[in-house]
Amino acid sequence: MSDARKWDVRLLVNGAVPVGTPVMAFRVSATRYAACDTAELRLAVDREVLGDTRPWFDSSSATRMDVQLQSLRQDQAGARWETVFHGVADYVIWSPDEHQVTVECRDYLSLLLDMRVQDAWLNCRASELIELVVEAAGLTSDIDLGQDGDVATGMTGQFWQIEHKRGSSLAQHRFQTAFDIAFFLAREANCDLYADGQTIVARPVITASDSGAVVHSGASAGLATTLHRDLAAPDGIVVHLASWDSRQRSRTEIFFDGQSFSATSPQKGLVHSFRVPGRRLDDLKAIAQGKYVRIAAQQRHMRVRLPGQAEVKPRHFMNVDQYAGPEWPEIMGIDAVVSHCSVGEGFVQDLVLRERSA
């Protein structure tokens, strides 16, 4: 545990360290799932330092404040401040008698979640549509959905025939927020969507062997490890996709078992069925592969507690060969990182690892 205690922590509000509110403890939850990263910060409130100054979290009007939580390894020469969380402050619980305040925060994906969809778009590719909704939320975008067929590069949502615009009003489509639209389009193109500060990033899902993959060593002493397996699908997983074209009156149907595609259902396997209208066969194959990988990743996972490492993030990978037997993969993807720090516990992290190389 001693390795987890040699840290310094600071809070930046709108780019500056606030006066009189040092960090006492924090909990940051970051995942690769369709959700915002969150942070709960517990701060001391030093009245002597503040004097008559109004605390930053108790401004006269409710305003969105940029929040960065940073950490520094004190026992490493030349170490720099590393950002553990970057987002906006959402909610405050202030206890004046106890001289402390709790601030609840979300990352910048929350701006997409809070933005209700009121527009209709024609003749947009998936990447262009994500860029439009991100720009409307006041954020910058860095979108690259790869070249995975028409799912990533073709027109999306509405056809270019003008009559299809009749069904695009606010009350008639299934998307309620910009968050819904962006995640749906990224997921169908087999891409991750996440916030990097005030920039929304979309990139194809990678494996540990791909260029640019970050693989961490798990050789450092773990504080706790548990292995989880789902035994409900001993005969394997099958993804079934059905699509149709109402204008051409044609139907397309495929099954994918992780190895090959077929037009008929395999004799064995737990079937997961999805309906995806208006897609061609090549698109269905790409979507089926993405759905298979996400479903198969739920079959077994590993939970590891480690001394805090600010550089460990979701969408990275970790070598776990020392934690499990030969039937488990040597490298697993980091799906979730929960970082928590306090005076008594130090800085530790709970990781959820899943197979992401299928």
Side-chain angles (χ1 to χ4, degrees), residues 53-66:
T53 305
R54 194 162 190 166
W56 64 270
F57 53 81
D58 189 34
S59 61
S60 56
S61 60
T63 58
R64 180 174 282 117
M65 289 171 285
D66 179 86

Side-chain angles (χ1 to χ4, degrees), residues 233 236-241 254-256 269-274 291 295-296 299:
I237 296 169
V238 176
V239 172
H240 166 235
L241 289 185
I254 62 167
F255 295 84
F256 181 62
L270 182 61
V271 178
H272 299 260
S273 294
F274 303 90
K291 289 185 180 296
I295 295 171
Q299 296 303 295

Side-chain angles (χ1 to χ4, degrees), residues 159 243-252 277-280:
F159 298 102
S243 184
W244 64 92
D245 186 333
S246 60
R247 295 179 65 86
Q248 301 297 328
R249 296 185 179 181
S250 63
R251 173 184 173 89
T252 305
R279 297 296 192 183
R280 301 185 306 179

Side-chain angles (χ1 to χ4, degrees), residues 3 26 30 32 36 62 66 80 97 115-116 189 193 209 212 239 265 274 284 302 314:
D3 189 43
F26 67 79
R32 67 179 303 165
C36 300
D66 179 86
R80 298 182 179 181
D97 295 336
M115 190 179 85
R116 291 297 185 263
L193 185 79
S209 60
V239 172
S265 177
F274 303 90
L284 290 182
M302 184 181 300

Side-chain angles (χ1 to χ4, degrees), residues 119-133 143 145 148-161 164-165 167-168 173-175 178 180-190 276-280 283 287:
D119 297 321
W121 299 273
L122 288 172
N123 300 340
C124 281
R125 294 180 173 85
S127 59
E128 295 170 339
L129 184 47
I130 296 175
E131 290 170 354
L132 285 172
V133 297
I143 310 299
L145 301 184
D148 206 351
D150 280 354
V151 175
T153 61
M155 296 297 178
T156 189
Q158 298 170 350
F159 298 102
W160 41 85
Q161 289 89 349
H164 287 275
K165 196 174 189 302
S168 64
H173 61 63
R174 59 187 171 131
F175 298 114
D180 297 334
I181 291 177
F183 263 104
F184 173 80
L185 295 173
R187 185 170 57 245
E188 289 230 318
N190 296 330
V276 188
R279 297 296 192 183
R280 301 185 306 179
D283 299 336
I287 295 172

Side-chain angles (χ1 to χ4, degrees), residues 62-331:
T63 58
R64 180 174 282 117
M65 289 171 285
D66 179 86
V67 170
Q68 293 186 60
L69 179 68
Q70 297 183 332
S71 63
L72 175 70
R73 278 292 294 266
Q74 295 178 327
D75 58 329
Q76 291 184 346
R80 298 182 179 181
W81 289 100
E82 298 282 348
T83 299
V84 180
F85 175 83
H86 188 184
V88 293
D90 273 341
Y91 198 81
V92 172
I93 305 172
W94 186 16
S95 302
D97 295 336
E98 298 178 3
H99 302 283
Q100 68 178 27
V101 63
T102 300
V103 183
E104 298 175 359
C105 312
R106 294 179 297 170
D107 72 6
Y108 274 92
L109 279 173
S110 61
L111 272 64
L112 299 183
L113 189 62
D114 294 341
M115 190 179 85
R116 291 297 185 263
V117 175
Q118 301 182 39
D119 297 321
W121 299 273
L122 288 172
N123 300 340
C124 281
R125 294 180 173 85
S127 59
E128 295 170 339
L129 184 47
I130 296 175
E131 290 170 354
L132 285 172
V133 297
V134 169
E135 182 181 359
L139 301 172
T140 58
S141 60
D142 182 8
I143 310 299
D144 179 6
L145 301 184
Q147 301 295 324
D148 206 351
D150 280 354
V151 175
T153 61
M155 296 297 178
T156 189
Q158 298 170 350
F159 298 102
W160 41 85
Q161 289 89 349
I162 193 64
E163 63 266 22
H164 287 275
K165 196 174 189 302
R166 298 174 189 168
S168 64
S169 66
L170 177 63
Q172 292 178 330
H173 61 63
R174 59 187 171 131
F175 298 114
Q176 295 296 311
T177 69
F179 185 91
D180 297 334
I181 291 177
F183 263 104
F184 173 80
L185 295 173
R187 185 170 57 245
E188 289 230 318
N190 296 330
C191 293
D192 281 320
L193 185 79
Y194 55 96
D196 182 7
Q198 298 185 31
T199 300
I200 305 302
V201 181
R203 288 291 184 275
V205 175
I206 63 174
T207 65
S209 60
D210 290 338
S211 175
V214 179
V215 181
H216 298 279
S217 172
S220 58
L223 306 177
T225 303
T226 57
L227 309 180
H228 302 250
R229 296 201 67 169
D230 182 359
L231 304 179
D235 295 326
I237 296 169
V238 176
V239 172
H240 166 235
L241 289 185
S243 184
W244 64 92
D245 186 333
S246 60
R247 295 179 65 86
Q248 301 297 328
R249 296 185 179 181
S250 63
R251 173 184 173 89
T252 305
E253 190 173 16
I254 62 167
F255 295 84
F256 181 62
D257 62 2
Q259 300 295 327
S260 60
F261 296 94
S262 64
T264 58
S265 177
Q267 295 299 313
K268 295 183 179 181
L270 182 61
V271 178
H272 299 260
S273 294
F274 303 90
R275 290 178 174 84
V276 188
R279 297 296 192 183
R280 301 185 306 179
L281 181 59
D282 289 345
D283 299 336
L284 290 182
K285 288 183 177 180
I287 295 172
Q289 288 174 323
K291 289 185 180 296
Y292 180 89
V293 170
R294 290 192 294 274
I295 295 171
Q298 309 304 313
Q299 296 303 295
R300 55 184 174 182
H301 70 274
M302 184 181 300
R303 294 178 180 267
V304 181
R305 170 167 284 197
L306 296 172
Q309 304 177 54
E311 65 274 13
V312 174
K313 300 180 184 298
R315 292 168 291 276
H316 290 181
F317 297 86
M318 180 165 285
N319 189 312
V320 297
D321 188 47
Q322 74 280 10
Y323 293 133
E327 71 278 6
W328 283 69
E330 181 179 348
I331 297 177

